[in-house]
Amino acid sequence: MPTELVFTRAEFAAVLPSAILFATGLLQLLIDAAIGDRDPDGDRGAKTHLVLTGVAGALLAFAALGAASGDISVRLFAGAMSDDAFGRFAAGVIILATLLTTLAAGGYLAALGKHRGEFHGLLFFGAGAMVLLAQSTNLISIFVAIETLSLAVYILAGYVRSWRESAEGAFKYFVMGAFSSGFLLLGMAFLYGSTGGSIQLSDLGDPLKDEVLSSVGILLVVIGFAFKVGAVPFHSWVPDVYQGSPALAAGWMAVAVKVASFAALLRIVLAFGANDSLARMLAAVAVVTMVLGNLAALNQTNLKRMLAYSGIAHSGYLLIPVVVILPQGGMREASAGALFYLAGYLLTTIGAFAALAALRQGDRDCDTIEGIKGLARRHPLVAVALSLSMISLAGIPLTVGFMGKLFVFRDAVENGYTYLALIGIITSIISVYYYLRPVVAMYFHEASEPAQKTEPAWGLHLTLTVTSLGILLLGIFPNRIIELSIESVKNVGS
Amino acid sequence: MNSLPILSLIILTPALGALLLAFVDRRNDAVIKQGALMISMITLLLSLTMVIGGFFDGNVGTYQLEENTPWAPALGLAYHLGIDGISILLVLLTTFTMPLVLLSTWRAVSDRVKEYQICLLLLQSGMLGAFLALDLVLFYLFWEAMLVPMYLIIGIWGGKQRIYAAVKFFIYTMIGSLLMFLAILYLWKHTGTFDLPLVLERLRTTHPLASETQCWLFAAFALSFAIKVPLFPLHTWLPDAHVEAPTAGSVVLAGVLLKMGTYGFIRFGIPLFPAGTEAFGPLICWLAIIGIIFGACMALVQGDIKKLVAYSSVSHLGFVVLGLFMFRMGSGKMTDEGVTGAILQMVNHGLSTGMLFLLIGIIYERRHTRELANYGGLAKVVPIYSTFFIIATLSSIGLPGLNGFVGEFLILVGTFKVNMLYAVLASTGVVLGAVYMLTLVKRFLFGPLVHEENASIKDVSTREMVYLVPIVALMVWIGLYPKSFIGLVEPTVLQYLDALK
Amino acid sequence: MSPWLQHTIFAVVAALAVIAALLVVTRRNPIYSALFLIIVFGSMSAIFLLLEADFLGFMQLLVYAGAIMVLYLFVIMLINPREGDLPEEGATSDRVFAGGTAALVFCLLWFTIHESKMLTDDPVIFPTLPSLGRSHGSTEAFGLELFHEHLLVFELVSVLILVGIVGAVHLSIRARKSAPEDSVELTSDSSPVDRSEDRAEDRAEDIDRAPRGSGNQEDVTRV
Amino acid sequence: MFSLTSCLYLSAFLFSVGVYGVLARRNILVILMSLELMLNAVNLAFVAFGRHFAVVDAVGEHRGQIFALMVIAVAAAEAAIGLSILLLIWRKWRTIDVRDLCRMSG
Amino acid sequence: MEANLIWIPLLPFLGFLLNGMLGKRFGPRFVSWVGALTPIAAFLVALKVFLQVKETGALHQHVFDWIKLSGVPLSFEPVPDLVIHSGFSAPFGLLADPISVVMCLVITGVGSLIHLYSIDYMRGDRGFHRYFAYLNLFMAFMLILVLGDNLLLLFVGWEGVGLCSYLLIGFWFEDSANASAGRKAFIVNRIGDFGMLLAIFLCQKYFGTIDTREIGAKCAEGLGADGGFLGLNLGTWIALLMFLGAAGKSAQIPLYVWLPDAMAGPTPVSALIHAATMVTSGVYLCCRMMPVFEAAPFALEVIAGVGAATALLAALIALSQNDIKKVLAYSTVSQLGYMFFAIGMGAYGAAFFHLVTHAFFKALLFLGSGSVIHAMHHEQDMRKMGGLRRQLPFTHATYLIGTLAIAGVPLFAGFFSKDEILFAGYERAFGHDPSTLAGVFWAGTLLTAGLTAFYMLRSVAMTFWGESRVAPELAPKVHEPGRWIGVALFVLAALSLVGGFIGVPEILGGHHALDHFTRLSPDHSVLPEAQLDKLHSMEWTSLILSVLVGLGGLAAAFYLYGPGRGLLRKLVEENRTIARMRQWSEDKFYVDELYDFFVVKPVVLSSMLMWMLIDRLLIDTILVRGSASATRGLGNFFRRMQSGFVPAYLLTFGCGALVLLFIMLSLWKESGS
C-alpha cells in the first residue's frame, strides 16, 4: 500500500464537474453571507449575483463535462467512480436541470420573499452529489452520494418555513427517506457479504457470490432506489413532498433525483447481471406504479400534486428499461431508453414546474386548477409552455415525451415485454385526461376572478422558453440525443 | 423535376405559414386572415401543380414522388413520404377544403383570430402529413399531432358543451391510437423496420406473421381507425364534437379528419394483416352496416341540425368502410369497385358534408341557433342559400349526376358482388338517407315562415358564394365525369389488390 | 482474548443491546428512550471492539453516544414536552400490526442469513488475523485505507456535513431581520394580529383536529 | 456464540426492532431514534462482515469498518437535519405527534 | 348506328341552365321563351331522329365514358367465369330505338304543349323562372331516362325526374303540406329505387353488363334461368326488383300513395310529370327490358296481379273523391295499373300503346282541370263548382273529349289501347291456355273500365254540369283562360280524338302501326289462319264487352250525377251500406293511415327509442361515461389510500418491502435449491 496519495489527471477530470458544482454552492453561500444583507433591494431584489454565480458555475461544470468527453476511464479513486459516457450523460441532464432551476429561481424566490443563498447553495451541493452518484461505482460512494443529495433535497422541500405544507412535506420525506436508507444500507451490507468483502459494483456479478445474500441484498438496494424515484409501494412521500415544496424545488427534485437515482440503479443492475426473479418483481412494481400513479393523478385539483403522481407514473415508465435489461439475455442497450426518457423528462417537468412558479400569487405557489383558469389570456407564453409540458408528458407526438415513450416501449416490445408496453399505453391513455385538464383550464375557461397579474422575471421566461423549445426540438429532431444515449450505454463502467 | 421535394413542401407550407403568422401582431386581424388564406392557397396550388404539372403520374400504381431520408435512425425512424392513387385524392381534398374553411371563418370567429388561423393551418399540416407518410411512426406522429389543434379548435371556439366534447374527442381518439402505436412497435419487433413498404414486403416474404398475431395487431389498428371513422358503436364522440365545434372545425372534421380512419384501414390495416382482415372483416362489415342504418335512424330523430348531419356522417362512413372490405370475391378473384368507390366516396362525403356544415355555419352566424325548430320556410327568405343547401343535400343522398352517387353506387356494386346480403342491407341506407335529409330540408327550408326573426336573414354574401361555388362545381364534376378522379385512383387500387392476393 | 471470554462478553453485550433496544422503542417518555439508546450504542461499540474494530468502536462511542445522543437530549430538553405533549400512542392493533411487520422482516432476514451458503460453513469464531505490521482496526491502518481507498467518499462526507450544517441552520434558525415569517411562527397563536387568512386557517385546522388527542388540547394551545 | 452468523442475527434483530419503532410509535422523537437504531444495526453487519473478510482481502481489510464510519457520519448529519425539522414542526404545530402532520393527503 | 342524339336532352338542359341562372334577372318574358322553345326544339330534333329511326333502325351515340373501371387487376390471369364478372362500365351512351324515340316524341311533344300552357298558367307567380327551370330540367332528365343505353344512365334520369318531381310538387313550399307531399314522393320513389338498384347490381354481377341491349340478349339466351336464390331464378329476381322500382315510379301497389299527394304541385306539372311522362317510365322500363320479363313468368304474374289490383283500387277510390285533381290522380294510378296488367299479360305493345294514348288524354284532362282551377282561382273542390259549362265552354268541350277517351268510347284514343289490354287479358284467361288467375285479373280490369267511365263522367258532371255551386264572390271572375292554354288544350284534344289511330287493330282494319314500329308484340300474322281467326273472334268479344262496360259506366254516372237526376242520387246516398262504402272510398280505404301506423310511426318511434336507449343510455352513458367514472372511481380509491398519515405511509413501505422480500426469497428457494 503506497503511503503517498496519488491523484491522476483522469481522476481530476472526472471529479471536476462535481467539484465545480460544490465550489459554486459554497461560493454562493459565502457571497450571500458576505454581501447578501447589504443588497440594496434586500430580499425583494432578484439577488442577481446568486443567479449569475449559479449559472456560471453550472455552465463551467457543463464545460468540464464536455471537455473530458471521449475518453473513458474506469476505477478512479480506487474504484469509487468511473468517468464514462453514461455518467456524463446523466450528469449533463442533472447540470442542465440545475442550471434551469437556478435561472428560474431568482425571480421566483424574490417574489416569494425567500431569496437566500441557502437555496442556491443546497441546489448546487445536491447537484454535485447527484453527479457523483451518477458516476459512482462502489457501494460506499453510492451510499454517501445518495445521502448527501437526500439531505439537500429534504431541506429544499422544507425550504419555505412559513408554509405548513413545506415543513410537513420535509418531515415526511425525511422520515421515509431515512427509513428507506436503512433498507438500502442493509442491502449494501448483504451485497458486501455476498461478494466476499467487495463493495465494487463490478464484483456484484461475481459468479461465486452467495446467491441468497446477493439476491436479497440487490432487492433491498433496489427498494432503496425505488423509494428515491417514487415507485409504488414506496411512493407515499411523493405527492405530499411535491405539494409542500416550492414549485422550483419540486421540479428540480423530480428531475434531478430521478436522473441520478436511475443512473445509479442502471449502473448497479448492469453490473449485477441477469436476474430473472428481480426482473419479474420489478416488472410488477413498474405495472403497479404506472397504474396507481396515473389513476391517482386523475382527480387531483392541486397541480403540484397532480404532477407528483404523474412523476410516480413516469417512474413506472422508466422502470421498464430496467426490467428489460435484467433477465437472462436482456438487452443492455435498453438502458439508453431510460437515459433519453430522462433527458426529455427534464425539459417537460422543469418546464411544468417553472410555469407554476411563474404564476405564483403573492407568496404562495399558484398550484390549483382553479388558479390557472383563463391563463391563456393573461400569460400566453406561460400557458403555451405549460401546455407543451403537459402534451409532452402525455406523450403526444412532436414532443420529446413521445420520443421517450417510443424508445422505451419499443425496447420493451422488442424484448418480449409487450404487456409492459401495453399497460404503459393504457395508462398513458388515462393520463391524457388529467394532463389535459390544465390545458382545458387555461384555454377553455375564463378566469373565475380577476387574478393579479404578475409579470414573471426574465429568468423564468428564459427557462420556459428553453424548455418549450427543447420539448419541440427534441420531439422533432431527437436523433442526436438518442445516439448520444445509445453511445453512452455501450460501455458502462462499474 | 424529381429533385423538388414537392410532398414536403405541401406538408410544410401550412406549418411554416402558421409559424410566420405567429409573429404577426394579433391586432392585425385582416392581415392574419388574408395571410392564412394565402398560405392555404399556395398549398392548394402546390398540390394542383403536383397533379397537373406532371409530377404525379396517374397511370402508375405505385408510390410516387417518394422522399426517404433518415430522420432518427437511432430509433429506426425515417422521413418517408410518398403518394399514390389512394392518397392523392385525399391530399387534394385537404388542400381544397382548407382555403374554403379559412374563408368561412372570416366573420364567424372574432375571438383570438390569430390562434384560430394558426390552429387550422397546423391541422392542415398534420392531415397532409398523415396522408403522405409512408413510415409507420411518421404516420402515427402526424395522426396524433393533428389531434391537438383540433382539440383546441373545439375546446376554445366551440359551443356550450365544448369542453366535454373536446375532451371526449381527444381521449376517444387517443385510446385507439395508442393501441395502434403498440401494434406498430410490435411490427418493429417482428420486421425490424418502421418503413411501410419494407414492412409490407418483409411480412409477405421473409417475416410472415402468424394469423393469430395478425388478428391481434389488426384489432389494435382497426380499433384506432374505427374510432376515427367512426364505426358503430364507437361513434358517440362524433355528434358531440360536431355539435360543439365551430363551423371550421366541423367542416374539417367531417371533410377530412374522419377519412383518416378509412384511409388507415386501406393503407395500413388491410394490407398489413390480410389474415386479420379475413378474420375481422365480417365483424367490421356488420358494424359498418349497423352504422349505416343506425346512423340514419339517429339522424331521423335529431332536432339539432349539426347533430343530424353528424349522424348522417356515421351512416355515410359506414358505406366507405364497407366498400373498403369488399374486394375478395372468393375463388381467388378480386373486384375493385368497392375499394375504388370507397376512396371516391371519402372525397364525396368530404365535399357534401363539408358543404352542409359550411351552410349550417352560415345560418348559425346569422341566427345563432342550430335548433331545427327555430327555422322553417327559409327558402323564401334566402333562395340562393336554399339552393346551395338543397344541392348539398342531394349530393349527400346520392342523387345521380352529383358526386355522392358515383361513390355510393360503386361501393354497393362491389359489395353486391362479394356479399349480396351486405349490399341489400346497406342499400336500405340509401332509402333512409333520403328520409332524414329530405325531412331536414322540409323542416329547415320549406313550410311557412313561422319565426319572425328569420324573415330578415340575409342571403349568402359574395364571400360565401366564393367558397360555396367551387364545391358545387366539384360535386357536379365528380358526378358527371368521375373518370378524371377514378383514373387517378384505379391503377393504384388494382396494384393494391394484386398485392393482397 | 480467549474464545470463551469472547463468547461470554458477546452474549452479555448482545443481550444488553437487545433489551435496551426493545426498551427504546417501547418507552413512552423519549428521555428514557434516548437513555436506552445510549446503552444500545454502548453495547454496539463493545461488540465493535470485540470484532477488532478498535477505532470504529471508539468513534461509535464518541459520535453516537457523545454527539448524536447529546443532540437528542438537547432537543428534548429544548422543547421540553410535558406529559400532555407526548402523543397518544397508537392502538394495540396498530402496534400488533407494526410488530407483525417487524417480526416478519426479522423472519425473512433470519431466513436469508440462515440459508446463506457462505454462512453455513461459518466457523464458530472469527478467523484469526494474520499478524501484519499494523494491527487490524487500528487508527493508523484504518486511516491509511480510508485515505487511499476511499478518498473521494471522505471528501464527499465533508460536503454531506456541510449540507447538514446549512440545512440545520436554515431550518431551525428562528428569525432574520429580513425574514419575518419565522418570528410570526412562534407567536402566531398569541399574536393579536393575524397576518394572513392562511394562518387563521391553519389554526382552525389545529383546533378541529384537537379533539382526537383529547388529553393534549390544553397543552397544545398553550404557549 | 460469537460468530459472524450470530452477529448478523443480532444485527437483523436490532434492525427489526428499529423497524418496529418506526412503524409503531407516534412520537417523532422516538421515530428518529428508531431510525438511528436501524442504521446502527446495519453497521454491526458491516463490521462483522469486514472482520470475517479481513483475512481474505489485505487491501480492503477495513472496508466494512469504513462503510460503518461513513454511516455514522451520515447518521450524524441526518440526526441534525431530522431534529431541525422536528424543531420547525414543534414551533409551528406545538406537537411531536406524527399523526398531526396530515394536512396534505389524497 | 351512331347519331347525334345528345341534343335531345341537352336542349332542355340548356333551358334549365339559362332559366335557373339568368331567369330571375331577365324576367318572365325571357323565361317563357327559353322555357317553351327549348322543348319545342328538342321535339323537332326528336322528330328528325324518329324519321331516321323509322328508316334505318336504332341509332346510338356514345357520348363519353361516365363510370368505367377496368376491374381486372393488372397481373391477374383472366379467369373465364360465367357466374361472376368483374369490371364495370357505365358509359354515357344514348340509344334511340323505336320505343325510346316514340317516348321522346311523346315527352317533347306533350311537354312542349305543357310548357306553352304553363306560360299562361303560371303567369305572375313569384317563382316563374324557377318553375320553368325545373320543368326544363325535368325534360332533360326524362329524355335521359328514355334514351339511356344502360341501366345506370337510365337510373340517372330515373332519379333526376324524381328530383324534379320533388321540387315541383313542393313548388309552393310555403305550405307545409306541399313540402310534405314532395318529400313523400321522393321517399316512396326511393323505396322503389332500392329495388331498381338491386336489379342493376344483379345484372352487373351475373351478366357483367348493365347495357340494356346486352342484358336483353343474355336473357334471351336464357342466362336468367340459371342461378338464383331463395327459390326464384335470377331472371325473376331481376324482373321483380325492377318492377319494385317501376312500382315506385309508376305508383303501383304498394307504393302508389305518393301520387295523389303529388297533386299539390302546379297543375301543368301534374299533367306532365304525374300523368303523361314520368309516372309512365315504369311501364317504359318494363317495355325496354322486355326480354328480362319474358324470361320470368312468375314475375309477370305478380305484375299482372299488382296492376289489376292497383287499377281496381284506385278506381274505387276515385269514385268518391271531391277534389278534381285527386280524381284524375287516382285515375292515373288506375290507368297505370292497366298498363302493368298488360305487361303482366305479356302484352307489352298494348301497354306501350296505352302509355302513349294515356299521355294524350290524361294530359288533356289535367290541363283541362288546370284551366278550371285557374279560372276558379285555385279552387279544386268539385262541390264548389258546377255549371261551369256556361263560363268555360271550350274547357268543357276538351275535358269531355278527354273523358270519353279515357272511358274507352269507340274511336277515341283510349278505346283502342284499352281494348287491346282487355283483349290481352281475355286471351290469357280464356285463350289457348286458360288460366283462372288471369281471369280474375281480367274481370277486375273490366270492372275498372266501367268504374273509370263512371267517375270521369261524375267529375264532368260535378264540374261543368248542373247548378252552379261556385262561391258568389268568385262567380263573376270565372272566365276562359289565356291563349296558350287554349292552344295546348286544343292540340291535346285533337290527339285524344285521333291518337288512337296509330294502333288500330287488324280486326278494325288497321295494321297496328305502333306495334309494328316498336316490335313489342308478337307478330300475329305468322300464326296459322285458324288460330288467327279464333283470336279475332275473341278480340271482338272482348271489344264489345269493354265498350258495353264503358258505356254502362257512363250511363250510371249520368243518371247519378247528371243534370236533374237528384232523386237517384238521394237514394244512393241514403242507403247506409252504400254510404259507408262511399265513406271508405272517400277516405282512400285508410291506406295512408295504415302506412303511417305500420311503417312511418314504428320507424320514427324505434329510432327515437334507439337513440335514447342505445345511443344515449347504453353507449354514451353506461359504456363511455361509465368507464370514465369507473376509472375515476378507481383513481379516487387510490387517492384515499394516500391518507396523509406518516405511519400509514411507512406501513405501506414496510409491507411493500416485506412482500417483495418474501417473493424474492420464495423465487430463490424455488429456483435455487
Side-chain angles (χ1 to χ4, degrees), chain E residues 351-429:
Chain E
F352 193 69
F353 185 23
H354 197 57
L355 187 161
V356 174
T357 55
H358 177 257
F360 297 153
F361 57 70
K362 191 47 71 61
L364 172 64
L365 286 169
F366 264 114
L367 292 184
S369 77
S371 171
V372 172
I373 293 164
H374 191 66
M376 297 284 294
H377 293 87
H378 296 278
E379 178 58 65
Q380 303 188 2
D381 194 338
M382 293 190 296
R383 283 167 301 190
K384 294 178 182 158
M385 297 177 184
L388 288 176
R389 184 176 39 143
R390 286 176 290 277
Q391 281 114 318
L392 305 170
F394 180 70
T395 308
H396 170 233
T398 52
Y399 196 84
L400 199 58
I401 292 173
T403 305
L404 296 179
I406 197 174
V409 173
L411 302 184
F412 285 91
F415 163 72
F416 297 103
S417 54
K418 189 183 275 185
D419 176 56
E420 213 173 305
I421 292 171
L422 286 171
F423 165 61
Y426 184 72
E427 198 267 329
R428 179 60 62 84

Side-chain angles (χ1 to χ4, degrees), chain B residues 168 235 311 430 447-448 479 498, chain E residues 66 75 85 173-174 190 615 620:
Chain B
K168 196 171 177 181
H235 64 280
Y311 276 112
V430 177
D498 190 27
Chain E
W66 179 37
S75 63
H85 297 265
F173 54 79
E174 283 98 329
R190 269 273 158 146
D615 203 64
D620 216 33

Side-chain angles (χ1 to χ4, degrees), chain C residues 60-181:
Chain C
Q60 162 92 359
L61 214 51
L62 276 175
V63 177
Y64 260 122
I68 301 181
M69 290 325 293
V70 168
L71 194 61
Y72 270 92
L73 289 171
F74 205 75
V75 170
I76 294 172
M77 299 303 174
L78 183 73
I79 62 177
N80 188 22
R82 302 192 178 179
E83 184 58 26
D85 288 334
L86 296 179
E88 193 109 320
E89 287 305 331
T92 323
S93 59
D94 287 1
R95 257 178 286 174
V96 168
F97 211 73
T101 312
L104 280 174
V105 168
F106 177 69
C107 288
L108 292 176
L109 294 179
W110 180 85
F111 179 78
T112 314
I113 296 163
H114 178 76
E115 289 289 309
S116 166
K117 266 204 300 290
M118 182 184 74
L119 299 175
T120 43
D121 50 6
D122 177 32
V124 171
I125 192 111
F126 287 97
T128 338
L129 290 161
S131 56
L132 296 165
R134 311 171 294 275
S135 60
H136 175 78
S138 71
T139 314
E140 185 200 5
F142 190 95
L144 272 175
E145 193 179 328
L146 178 62
F147 289 113
H148 276 110
E149 300 289 312
H150 301 286
L151 179 64
L152 184 73
V153 179
F154 182 77
E155 297 296 341
L156 190 54
V157 165
S158 63
V159 180
L160 175 84
I161 305 283
L162 183 61
V163 170
I165 294 167
V166 173
V169 169
H170 176 78
L171 291 176
S172 55
I173 197 165
R174 288 215 157 183
R176 285 219 287 202
K177 269 177 293 173
S178 53
E181 74 266 35

Side-chain angles (χ1 to χ4, degrees), chain A residues 2 116 155 159 161 164 210, chain C residues 118 148 170 176 179 182 202:
Chain A
R116 302 219 198 85
I155 301 159
Y159 184 78
R161 282 166 300 180
R164 291 196 139 189
D210 186 275
Chain C
M118 182 184 74
H148 276 110
H170 176 78
R176 285 219 287 202
D182 292 338
D202 285 357

Side-chain angles (χ1 to χ4, degrees), chain A residues 238-264:
Chain A
V238 181
D240 293 358
V241 171
Y242 282 25
Q243 190 187 347
S245 313
L248 281 179
W252 182 72
M253 244 184 255
V255 176
V257 175
K258 256 195 202 94
V259 177
S261 307
F262 266 108

Side-chain angles (χ1 to χ4, degrees), chain B residues 164 168 172 235-236 302 311 380 397 400 409 412 416-417 420 430 439 442 447-448 479-480 482 490 498, chain E residues 64 66 70-71 75 85 88 152 159 173-174 176 180 183 190 194 201 205-206 607 611 615 620 624-625:
Chain B
Y164 171 70
K168 196 171 177 181
Y172 241 117
H235 64 280
T236 56
Q302 299 303 320
Y311 276 112
K380 195 173 177 183
I397 61 181
F409 181 80
L412 288 174
F416 197 85
K417 283 187 180 175
M420 277 196 255
V430 177
T439 307
K442 193 209 138 208
L480 290 183
E490 213 199 357
D498 190 27
Chain E
F64 60 84
W66 179 37
S70 53
S75 63
H85 297 265
F88 177 79
L152 202 63
E159 286 269 296
F173 54 79
E174 283 98 329
S176 281
S180 298
R183 180 181 54 150
R190 269 273 158 146
F194 169 72
F201 297 156
K205 179 164 179 176
Y206 292 105
S607 296
W611 182 47
D615 203 64
D620 216 33
V624 176
R625 290 203 210 199

